Amino acid sequence: MGDISYSNGNTNGNGNGNGNGVNGKAHSVLNGYRKSCWYEEEIEENLRWSFALNSILHTGATPYQDIALLDTKPFGKALVIDGKLQSAETDEFIYHECLVHPPLLHHPNPKNIFIMGGGEGSTARELLRHRTVEKVVMCDIDEEVVEFCKSYLIVNSEAFCDPRLELIINDARAELEHREEQYDVIIGDLADPIEGGPCYKLYTKSFYELIVKPRLSKEGIFVTQAGPAGIFSHTEVFSCIYNTLRQVFKYVVPYSAHVPSYADIWGWIMASDTPFELSTDELDLRIKQRIKGENRYLDGKTLSSASTLSKAVRQSMDNETHVYTEGTARFIYGHGHGSAYKQN
């Protein structure tokens, strides 16, 4: 759970300057706050990540999740959902370029795209930079978060107004189940699988096999964010999501990048029944031909590097035997509060 730590006073009104905290620092969840404070998130039982805030711009709650928009000193505006940092202004481009561009560049002619989650609008923004894209369906369960992001995240205003974007408020599984059309690329911009939250069901073998794969067109590609992928953290969910996709698709490519505001290496996984064969030069040519504007992070060499995992992680991934099912789910550290989608 993300906490706000106040460095210059108390929150219990006792006037002694110590509040209820430790070493003169009072702690509270995202309510009652002062201007001089720090955001703190528990990453593991014995590890916390914190950074200074300029202010708290907004807090609220929807039927599905708690949301907050923070103005942070190191990372600019940051979106927090259920106490977990989802996206930060200064480095969200790393996450979203890595999620979107590899599958679209590897596809010969991506026109029709489906996003599971993605309510923040940044995934749609990156997709709509591609000249080949004719339609993007963004399916998010939480209408209030989508409206919140429309109001506060100005960087994605143009994407939300693009006529190629179709916004659906629904559960992604249910939406894909009843749709008959197929998609060139399906993107999982979902919340991390957290114990107590329903989202873990969208990382299972049955979901990939029975719902996702039948909705992919010929040469279609599936990509999902896959949680922390660091030297120690990759065994939480990254390795078993990779192994699960190997049970469903012929070709599966894990890749990763450092996202500073996440305090870790982050992972994504592409999967298809068509091999991923483009060279770095071919990727760069497609970037030049297909994408409007300049990428800030991703090019051919960067993607090649991102998909070259370290020796320890590579060996661990190759030896992973766990298959993700509803009955054998793995979770990242933390507990869900009913959130269903990652709003990145």
Side-chain angles (χ1 to χ4, degrees):
M1 179 58 163
D3 286 357
I4 303 299
S5 173
Y6 306 98
S7 59
N8 65 340
N10 63 59
T11 58
N12 65 356
N14 63 12
N16 63 12
N18 290 323
N20 296 317
V22 179
N23 297 327
K25 291 185 178 181
H27 293 79
S28 73
V29 294
L30 293 172
N31 50 36
Y33 50 83
R34 298 185 181 180
K35 289 184 179 179
S36 179
C37 51
W38 288 66
Y39 173 77
E40 184 176 89
E41 183 174 315
E42 193 168 353
I43 298 174
E44 298 175 7
E45 185 176 358
N46 299 309
L47 179 63
R48 293 187 175 189
W49 168 235
S50 64
F51 42 83
L53 301 181
N54 290 314
S55 63
I56 299 173
L57 300 174
H58 182 83
T59 61
T62 79
Y64 299 98
Q65 50 210 346
D66 297 323
I67 57 176
L69 186 66
L70 311 177
D71 182 9
T72 78
K73 291 187 177 180
F75 302 118
K77 291 180 182 178
L79 179 66
V80 176
I81 293 181
D82 279 340
K84 293 287 185 180
L85 179 71
Q86 304 296 310
S87 177
E89 186 177 21
T90 60
D91 63 8
E92 58 87 5
F93 67 93
I94 302 172
Y95 172 94
H96 292 104
E97 287 188 17
C98 286
L99 177 67
V100 168
H101 299 310
L104 265 75
L105 292 170
H106 275 285
H107 194 282
N109 189 25
K111 295 181 178 181
N112 198 14
I113 319 296
F114 189 97
I115 310 170
M116 301 187 293
E120 177 189 336
S122 298
T123 296
R125 180 197 70 212
E126 292 300 315
L127 285 168
L128 293 166
R129 293 176 57 209
H130 283 255
R131 293 183 174 90
T132 62
V133 169
E134 297 176 356
K135 182 180 180 182
V136 174
V137 178
M138 185 174 81
C139 181
D140 197 288
I141 199 169
D142 198 332
E143 185 173 15
E144 291 183 41
V145 165
V146 174
E147 293 303 319
F148 173 87
C149 292
K150 281 184 181 180
S151 299
Y152 286 94
L153 304 181
I154 308 301
V155 67
N156 296 330
S157 297
E158 188 174 336
F160 279 114
C161 295
D162 195 301
R164 293 174 292 170
L165 179 66
E166 178 185 356
L167 175 60
I168 302 292
I169 303 300
N170 195 7
D171 173 78
R173 183 187 187 113
E175 188 67 25
L176 278 174
E177 275 184 315
H178 90 260
R179 281 184 173 248
E180 296 182 358
E181 63 185 313
Q182 292 186 312
Y183 300 92
D184 300 315
V185 178
I186 296 176
I187 296 178
D189 188 12
L190 302 164
D192 302 312
I194 297 176
E195 190 171 5
C199 192
Y200 74 91
K201 296 177 182 179
L202 303 186
Y203 291 94
T204 60
K205 180 176 182 285
S206 62
F207 178 66
Y208 294 147
E209 192 169 43
L210 302 177
I211 307 298
V212 171
K213 192 172 182 179
R215 297 274 70 80
L216 285 172
S217 60
K218 185 181 178 181
E219 300 183 290
I221 299 173
F222 173 67
V223 66
T224 183
Q225 81 87 15
I231 191 74
F232 302 121
S233 60
H234 75 277
T235 56
E236 291 183 67
V237 294
F238 184 55
S239 59
C240 68
I241 293 172
Y242 167 67
N243 186 56
T244 302
L245 284 166
R246 286 196 296 179
Q247 314 306 309
V248 178
F249 294 93
K250 291 181 182 178
Y251 304 96
V252 182
V253 177
Y255 55 105
S256 63
H258 177 58
V259 181
S261 63
Y262 290 175
D264 206 346
I265 304 294
W266 212 255
W268 302 265
I269 302 173
M270 284 192 301
S272 180
D273 283 342
T274 301
F276 301 100
E277 296 180 326
L278 294 182
S279 68
T280 57
D281 288 341
E282 288 170 324
L283 286 166
D284 284 335
L285 180 60
R286 286 193 175 181
I287 289 172
K288 184 177 180 180
Q289 292 173 336
R290 293 185 181 183
I291 300 178
K292 299 174 185 176
E294 289 285 330
N295 284 347
R296 296 174 64 188
Y297 182 78
L298 197 77
D299 63 4
K301 288 183 179 179
T302 304
L303 181 54
S304 176
S305 173
S307 58
T308 305
L309 306 178
S310 69
K311 177 183 177 181
V313 174
R314 191 169 63 250
Q315 288 180 338
S316 176
M317 300 282 277
D318 289 341
N319 294 328
E320 179 64 77
T321 60
H322 190 91
V323 175
Y324 207 107
T325 69
E326 291 188 23
T328 62
R330 288 183 182 176
F331 306 101
I332 67 163
Y333 185 80
H335 295 275
H337 299 274
S339 60
Y341 297 106
K342 183 183 183 73
Q343 309 299 324
N344 293 71

